[in-house]
Amino acid sequence: MDGTRQAQAGRLTHPHRRYSRDRNGDRARFKGVNCAMPLLLEGKKVVVIGGSSGIGLAIARQAQAQGASLVIIGRDPMKLSNAASKLGGDVQTIGGDAHDHAALESFIAALPEFDHLVSMIGDTMAGGFLQTPLDSMRHVLHSKFWTNLLIARFAAPLVRESGSMTFTSGSGVRAQEAAASYVANEALAAMAQGLGSELGPRVRVNVIAPAFMDTALWRAKPREDIDARIRSYSQINPLGRLGTPEEVASAYIFLMVNTYTTGQVLQIDGGMMLRK
């Protein structure tokens, strides 16, 4: 090999430089050469409805770590304030109850244009078709389907080109175990398909379906009931455990940055439905 080719090979392979990552695994570099990986959401604005705790807060944290500015919306002023303090940086908070549809229209109309929206809205309820009170079923459908449909209608004009909206359904139960929730989940899947077509190619629309996990959503129930559910679900789950908010949150980030996914439901349940 002549001197020119040796020099070219040296520049290409860098045999004397070692690869390393920082503590969080976010940046990669050769020793002596700064090769920082670009932030996936740098310069983007992300709105999280229900972003003050649990999975929603984990989504906000991960989006911010990838360079996004945030708007988090919730109905509890104290939780919103605590979330903003934990997050720091460029975070706007808006107080409002998404189930109040007149208020929902007002606070979405007041939003600036944004790139990605996540909705964590959706109450759940156990019980089959024969025994669940109709008022309870109506409440779940109002919360999980009709409210999210209105969020999509109100927010769609504000989403920037190549942006996304991601909604939240659920996994881990069959129709006879949680009739209203199951019907609402299926309705959200149909909504994502329809809106994915109607809003494409400008906006992508998807759904994340997580299974039960030990978050603040369930803290009002007796601790012994929660522990019993954790044991039951862990035994069924092929992975032998419940998921974490951080694991689920990463799926929302994936759908923000993957520009060739729309109209889909992504189940993040550890394979639980394989054994149900």
Side-chain angles (χ1 to χ4, degrees):
M1 180 180 293
D2 62 33
T4 301
R5 293 178 65 191
Q6 286 179 338
Q8 290 173 341
R11 283 198 297 270
L12 290 171
T13 60
H14 300 294
H16 60 289
R17 291 168 179 161
R18 292 182 299 170
Y19 176 86
S20 64
R21 287 188 181 274
D22 71 4
R23 183 176 300 173
N24 297 319
D26 291 334
R27 297 177 183 274
R29 63 179 69 84
F30 287 106
K31 186 177 181 181
V33 178
N34 187 2
C35 298
M37 296 175 66
L39 298 176
L40 297 175
L41 293 169
E42 190 164 14
K44 305 297 184 183
K45 185 174 289 292
V46 174
V47 177
V48 185
I49 303 178
S52 62
S53 63
I55 297 171
L57 180 57
I59 295 165
R61 185 178 289 115
Q62 291 185 21
Q64 186 183 60
Q66 290 297 334
S69 61
L70 300 172
V71 179
I72 55 174
I73 299 171
R75 57 188 172 187
D76 186 324
M78 184 64 70
K79 285 184 177 180
L80 279 174
S81 177
N82 290 339
S85 297
K86 290 177 183 177
L87 291 165
D90 188 0
V91 181
Q92 177 186 355
T93 61
I94 297 176
D97 184 356
H99 295 108
D100 179 341
H101 291 171
L104 174 68
E105 184 173 15
S106 295
F107 66 67
I108 289 182
L111 289 173
E113 287 189 347
F114 54 84
D115 298 281
H116 304 287
L117 177 141
V118 169
S119 171
M120 301 303 302
I121 301 302
D123 290 344
T124 63
M125 193 167 293
F129 286 95
L130 294 178
Q131 300 300 322
T132 304
L134 289 181
D135 284 346
S136 297
M137 297 188 78
R138 290 189 186 99
H139 169 77
V140 172
L141 290 168
H142 172 90
S143 171
K144 184 167 272 193
F145 176 65
W146 290 112
T147 299
N148 280 304
L149 175 59
L150 289 177
I151 289 171
R153 286 187 172 188
F154 297 152
L158 299 174
V159 185
R160 293 172 180 149
E161 186 81 21
S162 300
S164 71
M165 295 190 289
T166 305
F167 298 89
T168 305
S169 63
S171 181
V173 295
R174 296 294 183 188
Q176 66 273 18
E177 299 171 309
S181 297
Y182 193 92
V183 170
N185 291 341
E186 292 297 302
L188 283 177
M191 184 184 83
Q193 291 176 9
L195 290 177
S197 175
E198 292 176 44
L199 293 174
R202 188 179 67 85
V203 178
R204 295 171 289 107
V205 182
N206 294 288
V207 174
I208 295 288
F212 166 78
M213 62 187 63
D214 189 8
T215 65
L217 178 66
W218 301 94
R219 299 286 159 76
K221 295 185 178 296
R223 187 66 228 183
E224 57 270 23
D225 292 351
I226 297 173
D227 290 341
R229 181 175 288 212
I230 290 172
R231 288 192 298 271
S232 173
Y233 276 63
S234 297
Q235 289 168 0
I236 295 170
N237 196 303
L239 298 184
R241 63 177 179 85
L242 301 186
T244 66
E246 290 72 24
E247 288 172 318
V248 175
S250 67
Y252 289 85
I253 303 301
F254 165 78
L255 290 177
M256 292 180 201
V257 301
N258 186 289
T259 55
Y260 202 60
T261 303
T262 195
Q264 304 301 309
V265 176
L266 185 56
Q267 285 186 292
I268 310 297
D269 63 0
M272 188 175 296
M273 295 306 290
L274 299 175
R275 294 182 177 176
K276 292 283 284 185

